Amino acid sequence: MRKSIIITCIVFYCLIQLNSCNDDVFVKELKTSDTELQMNGNGDSATIYINTSDWAVTAIYDTENPMTNIFYGIEYDENGHALEKYKISLLQNRISKGKVIYTGEDNGFTISRKDDNTLGVSVDENILDSTFNFTIVVSDQFKNIPIKIRQSASRGYSLDSITYKYLNNSFHKEWNENKIKINNDKNSDLEYNVYIFSGEYQEILFSSKDIKAFSYIRKTKINIPIGMKDNALQFSTQKNYYNSKKQECPLPFEDIKKTLTIPAGMSTIRIVLEYDYFEAEYTMYIHNKETGEKKEVKGYFFSKMPAKDGYIIFLNDKMII
């Protein structure tokens, strides 16, 4: 009996020593200090603590639309060197070291493994009109833990001013013509009114290398240049929306009516218009409505517009104006 007790004590002692000396024999269950984070809309950061070193980030996805709104980011190693030339999908990609950075038009984040037991979460400002929700999945070979991130919307930005600078040598002219065919089936001449700039407009386009440029301010109208005179940009009181789409703006001058005398039979009217092209650099000054932080957004402005006095009218190949 005594021998049996001694053997039992020895086995129990060995098990204790084995457990204290070799953690790999008894695998720790993966646990994280947080599974939900609420973050500030103006940008924020947090650290999540993990109880083991055997883990990796295995997915990052949009909480509401994981399959339709896929995040693409750039992965970096521990020394800050990009691992790939192109962005990778974060929906199914294992990140065990270093960090990954996602930059969107309205928001962005950096997810990093700081050391064996800490996960860093940093978010850019959220200039959406709604909460930015995404999920980080931390996994080992036995367990997956989703960590849900909710970032409130920032209050956005207000426009202070915008300045333009003519881009040297960008101004040039081009000519284009429109044809109108008229069948005068009477035996006498026909008086016909021609509107020179009917259907014409100023075509403008804003561009910027800043991916967030057109998200800072939405539905905001700004002053735009309408032409060049004596090597200086000219402006009107007309304002147009600041966005990345090509816009067709009303001409800053009245249309011109010409009355032509059309002979009997088939006639062709050709209206040849001169178009002015130019480009300008712009700097837009804005500030955060909540923090007052100021930003500058730079880019290029393009304009194409018919010249008010640049037109020629041909009637049956005869120049009449």
Side-chain angles (χ1 to χ4, degrees):
M1 180 67 179
R2 184 178 178 184
K3 184 178 180 180
S4 176
I5 293 173
I6 292 173
I7 293 173
T8 301
C9 290
I10 292 172
V11 171
F12 183 70
Y13 175 78
C14 290
L15 288 174
I16 292 174
Q17 294 298 315
L18 184 62
N19 185 42
S20 64
C21 296
N22 190 356
D23 287 342
D24 292 336
V25 174
F26 298 93
V27 177
K28 291 182 180 179
E29 180 184 2
L30 179 67
K31 294 180 181 180
T32 60
S33 59
D34 298 275
T35 55
E36 292 187 3
L37 289 177
Q38 179 67 49
M39 307 194 81
N40 189 286
N42 292 315
D44 207 348
S45 62
T47 299
I48 297 172
Y49 297 96
I50 301 171
N51 68 324
T52 177
S53 61
D54 184 22
W55 59 273
V57 174
T58 53
I60 307 171
Y61 57 84
D62 185 307
T63 305
E64 281 80 20
N65 304 293
M67 302 307 296
T68 56
N69 185 26
I70 298 175
F71 300 130
Y72 289 87
I74 298 178
E75 185 179 0
Y76 297 84
D77 64 17
E78 298 163 285
N79 298 315
H81 300 133
L83 298 180
E84 300 288 343
K85 185 177 180 180
Y86 303 101
K87 294 180 180 180
I88 59 172
S89 168
L90 305 183
L91 182 60
Q92 292 179 330
N93 193 69
R94 185 179 181 85
I95 303 167
S96 56
K97 294 182 179 181
K99 64 182 178 181
V100 64
I101 298 177
Y102 160 73
T103 303
E105 293 181 0
D106 304 301
N107 43 49
F109 54 72
T110 300
I111 310 301
S112 59
R113 179 166 180 164
K114 295 183 176 181
D115 54 45
D116 285 348
N117 299 102
T118 56
L119 175 69
V121 181
S122 175
V123 291
D124 303 337
E125 57 189 339
N126 175 22
I127 47 183
L128 279 171
D129 295 329
S130 58
T131 302
F132 177 39
N133 301 311
F134 64 97
T135 298
I136 307 166
V137 179
V138 173
S139 308
D140 63 9
Q141 56 182 323
F142 303 106
K143 187 177 181 180
N144 300 317
I145 300 179
I147 302 170
K148 294 184 178 180
I149 312 297
R150 290 176 55 83
Q151 185 188 15
S152 59
S154 74
R155 291 181 57 193
Y157 285 80
S158 290
L159 174 68
D160 293 325
S161 62
I162 185 169
T163 61
Y164 296 88
K165 180 183 178 182
Y166 169 65
L167 193 62
N168 289 335
N169 302 318
S170 67
F171 182 82
H172 65 281
K173 295 178 177 289
E174 293 183 10
W175 294 82
N176 195 13
E177 71 172 42
N178 298 316
K179 289 183 179 181
I180 303 173
K181 291 187 176 295
I182 300 175
N183 184 17
N184 180 8
D185 55 4
K186 298 180 179 180
N187 293 324
S188 58
D189 293 342
L190 172 69
E191 297 295 306
Y192 185 83
N193 292 326
V194 172
Y195 293 88
I196 304 300
F197 299 107
S198 175
E200 295 294 328
Y201 46 81
Q202 181 185 11
E203 181 181 298
I204 66 169
L205 179 66
F206 289 95
S207 66
S208 177
K209 293 182 179 180
D210 184 344
I211 191 173
K212 299 180 186 292
F214 302 103
S215 298
Y216 290 124
I217 59 172
R218 295 184 174 91
K219 299 179 181 179
T220 301
K221 287 188 173 183
I222 60 177
N223 292 318
I224 63 168
I226 59 171
M228 294 287 299
K229 184 177 181 181
D230 299 327
N231 294 321
L233 293 172
Q234 302 297 302
F235 295 82
S236 74
T237 56
Q238 178 178 295
K239 293 186 176 183
N240 291 88
Y241 287 109
Y242 175 74
N243 60 44
S244 60
K245 298 178 181 178
K246 187 179 292 185
Q247 299 180 65
E248 297 176 355
C249 311
L251 295 176
F253 52 81
E254 295 293 328
D255 201 350
I256 297 174
K257 182 179 77 172
K258 297 293 182 180
T259 301
L260 307 182
T261 301
I262 309 299
M266 183 66 73
S267 292
T268 299
I269 301 171
R270 289 191 297 128
I271 303 174
V272 181
L273 296 181
E274 174 189 306
Y275 291 86
D276 292 340
Y277 294 75
F278 72 89
E279 293 181 59
E281 297 175 298
Y282 70 84
T283 302
M284 186 171 63
Y285 301 89
I286 58 177
H287 71 270
N288 186 291
K289 294 179 182 178
E290 182 175 347
T291 66
E293 178 189 2
K294 296 182 180 296
K295 287 184 181 292
E296 293 183 7
V297 180
K298 296 180 180 293
Y300 293 92
F301 171 83
F302 165 86
S303 173
K304 169 191 173 184
M305 186 173 70
K308 181 178 180 180
D309 300 320
Y311 63 90
I312 304 172
I313 300 177
F314 294 88
L315 176 59
N316 297 326
D317 293 327
K318 180 181 179 180
M319 186 173 71
I320 56 175
I321 295 177

